[in-house]
Amino acid sequence: MDSQTSKSSQPSQSPQPPHTFQVDLRGLVDLLSHHLYSSPKVYLRELLQNAVDAITARRAEQPDAPARVRLYTQTGALRVEDTGVGLTEADVHTLLATIGRSSKRTDGIADGIQEVRSDFLGQFGIGLLACFVVAERIRVVSRSARTPDAAVVEWTASDDGSYTVRTLPQEARAEPGTTVHLVARAGAGEWLAPERVLTLARDFGSLLPYDVRVGDEAVTDLPAPWDRSYPSPANRRVALARHCHDLFGFTPLDSIELNVPLAGIRGVAYVLPSAVSPAQRATHRVHLKGMLLTERAEQLLPDWAFFVRCVLDTDSLRPTASRESLYEDETLAAVREALGTRIRSWLTGLAAGDPERLAAFLSVHHLGVKSLARHDKEMLRTMLPWLPFETTDGQLSLEEFAQRHPVVHFTRTVEEYRQVAPIASAQGVGVINGGYTYDSELVEALPSVRPGTVVAELDADTVTAHLDAVDPAEELALSGFLAAARAKLDPLGCDVVLRAFHPLSVPALHLDDRAARHEQARAEAEEQADDLWAGILGSLRGSAPRARLVLNHLSPLIRRISSLGDPELIGTATESLYGQALLMAQRPLRPADTALLNRAFIGLLEWATHGEDGN
């Protein structure tokens, strides 16, 4: 077949007309109420946003124009009036009848005022649509300020997706602006009740720059508490503490100014009065150009700053589609860093000029500062004299501990610290418990901010080396006792060592390290595995030292046990000493350890009652 025939046999590709999406308004309202917005209460925020944006648009052209928003309630209905730019009939068809169309675009109603676009809060189209979450009917009456001779226009819509538009006489609205009438949906009347409307309006609009009232009740409360003048710093702290209590329900330890002009941010961070988990998500209250955006902003501060709660106003951050949270972008990242710098500066200021307040703060929130100091050497250097650590000398700062001990020993786990702390302290060996969150990292970083400091991880060999050796002749005399004890504990992967140490009240000390525990776990798994897996585990056998039970030659109890002539009784006593040493170290017990404790306990009972039976 030639090319001409091939072409003629193909069907003609005539252009098809485009199709328009059909929107089910009821379904869209359900989507908004159950998936986009967290609560029906946001309807009032959307109404306030539309009113404020309309006033902002009018004032861009008429700076002296009135700036009023009034809300009036009655049973099952709400009326919102503003003195904004208003709408013409063409604007109504373009903006209100097209879902998602913004009145803040560069043409139409906002044509010519693109330079003030950053002053707007939201989108008029979807904002008004959100009112259907609580209303079955919306009626908008508007008179344009840009076209004074234009007729007053009325737009009425129902939640079934239908709407009507008509013009009204000029006297229907005396001055430019817009009035929105809502009629409640069935079951949603509570959201339009007077008390609820006033509460929501104050919550959302307390920092709005215009005169907003619900009836005669003022909504706005300007200037913001952090922008007001006070007679003294003490008065300011008291006023901010009161504001924190009213807002968050707690009285803060302190208040931190959050003034970042380059990021368009003003606000305050309140220090929590009690400790919180670093894993707990901190939530903050964010206003966007005066309008409350969210009470649950989570990514506003660095992770280490979990000890504060913020309230602030910004004009630079970008909200998500629901305008209930912040969009994660470069601007938010820059703001997060700037706020973190401000909190860091507050901490260094306390260290330099107010040690009492710093000590009070660290007694509650040292974990947050340690988290910061891990990645900030300057902060670690500043906080060295202040951050508390658990040591064998008591609660001390790293600076004070390093001054007392030429070598800074530390353990990586709390269990390891509990094993060695009493003995190390008696031998004059200083040890820091590095098992708590961030502590071992900070101890290891100590030489980088304190040159000349020697840091060493404490292991079983180091502890044993600090214990006094027993006279060889005495140890030889006890060789039979030691052989019986070692034979009893060898199946458990534990050696027996004889040393002399204080306190005398400790008859035995169980020592191991991570390598020993790893080898012990491998050996147990090898015993329980099939032939193939046991062979694999056997090839991984290491040469790490085993755990050891250090018997205290100075202990009267050890001397009495070593004098026993019955090898079986020596074995039972050794098992008891081993189990007691594990419990003293607060180590988790393996099934074999639990069985040993039970066996030793029963054995000792049988031995204690044997003489009575013989009588």
Side-chain angles (χ1 to χ4, degrees), residues 3-206:
S3 60
Q4 294 295 328
T5 305
S6 176
K7 289 180 181 179
S8 62
S9 64
Q10 295 176 356
S12 61
Q13 299 294 325
S14 58
Q16 298 293 319
H19 298 280
T20 302
F21 284 106
Q22 300 299 310
V23 177
D24 178 0
L25 190 58
R26 288 188 187 274
L28 188 57
V29 168
D30 181 73
L31 180 67
L32 288 174
S33 59
H34 291 98
H35 300 284
L36 183 61
Y37 295 121
S38 63
S39 166
K41 70 180 183 180
V42 297
Y43 87 93
L44 194 63
R45 183 195 62 197
E46 302 296 340
L47 288 174
L48 289 176
Q49 282 186 348
N50 287 337
V52 169
D53 286 342
I55 294 172
T56 301
R58 183 177 179 185
R59 282 205 154 187
E61 296 183 343
Q62 304 173 21
D64 297 331
R68 299 188 307 273
V69 181
R70 297 290 183 267
L71 294 85
Y72 301 99
T73 61
Q74 58 186 49
T75 304
L78 174 66
R79 183 173 87 254
V80 182
E81 300 178 355
D82 67 65
T83 57
V85 69
L87 302 171
T88 64
E89 184 175 359
D91 294 330
V92 166
H93 284 288
T94 302
L95 299 176
L96 301 190
T98 305
I99 295 173
R101 180 69 60 84
S102 174
S103 62
K104 274 65 75 175
R105 67 196 194 286
T106 57
D107 58 339
I109 189 172
D111 186 27
I113 57 170
Q114 175 65 13
E115 64 274 11
V116 297
R117 189 181 190 278
S118 64
D119 292 332
F120 293 109
L121 298 174
Q123 276 194 326
F124 192 85
I126 196 169
L128 193 61
L129 180 66
C131 293
F132 280 120
V133 173
V134 298
E136 68 175 9
R137 186 169 71 255
I138 303 174
R139 176 170 167 257
V140 177
V141 177
S142 188
R143 179 174 181 175
S144 174
R146 304 187 67 203
T147 312
D149 56 347
V152 176
V153 61
E154 178 191 69
W155 176 86
T156 304
S158 299
D159 59 2
D160 61 2
S162 64
Y163 74 93
T164 60
V165 179
R166 63 172 181 161
T167 58
L168 302 176
Q170 288 280 26
E171 56 270 17
R173 183 173 175 94
E175 60 178 343
T178 300
T179 302
V180 179
H181 302 261
L182 301 186
V183 177
R185 297 168 63 120
E190 62 173 308
W191 293 104
L192 274 61
E195 298 82 5
R196 179 65 66 89
V197 170
L198 179 60
T199 299
L200 293 179
R202 284 177 171 165
D203 200 34
F204 286 121
S206 61

Side-chain angles (χ1 to χ4, degrees), residues 274-442:
S274 56
V276 294
S277 167
Q280 180 177 329
R281 284 285 188 177
T283 56
H284 310 286
R285 188 178 177 93
V286 178
H287 295 255
L288 179 62
K289 307 176 188 74
M291 181 71 71
L292 178 64
L293 180 70
T294 178
E295 299 173 284
R296 297 184 299 275
E298 293 186 348
Q299 304 299 329
L300 191 64
L301 296 180
D303 290 340
W304 55 262
F306 54 81
F307 52 85
V308 298
R309 294 292 180 269
C310 292
V311 54
L312 55 83
D313 189 23
T314 176
D315 58 15
S316 62
L317 297 178
R318 178 183 170 191
T320 58
S322 66
R323 296 195 288 281
E324 292 187 272
S325 58
L326 297 172
Y327 190 83
E328 184 66 50
D329 57 11
E330 293 181 357
T331 302
L332 180 57
V335 166
R336 185 185 302 121
E337 182 177 352
L339 295 180
T341 299
R342 183 67 194 87
I343 297 173
R344 186 185 297 110
S345 298
W346 169 78
L347 281 170
T348 55
L350 287 186
D354 200 338
E356 290 185 3
R357 286 171 67 197
L358 177 63
F361 166 76
L362 289 178
S363 67
V364 179
H365 296 300
H366 56 272
L367 203 57
V369 181
K370 287 181 177 180
S371 175
L372 169 60
R374 288 184 304 153
H375 308 293
D376 189 328
K377 288 185 177 180
E378 191 57 40
M379 179 57 65
L380 176 57
R381 184 180 292 107
T382 301
M383 291 295 152
L384 275 181
W386 307 103
L387 287 174
F389 288 78
E390 182 181 355
T391 79
T392 49
D393 295 347
Q395 285 284 110
L396 293 179
S397 69
L398 287 181
E399 178 68 27
E400 187 174 358
F401 187 86
Q403 289 174 356
R404 294 186 181 187
H405 300 278
V407 178
V408 177
H409 288 103
F410 74 98
T411 64
R412 291 192 182 276
T413 68
V414 175
E415 289 78 11
E416 290 173 354
Y417 178 80
R418 287 170 177 163
Q419 287 181 61
V420 303
I423 309 304
S425 178
Q427 308 305 312
V429 179
V431 185
I432 295 177
N433 184 354
Y436 296 116
T437 308
Y438 311 133
D439 282 9
S440 61
E441 296 176 67
L442 295 176

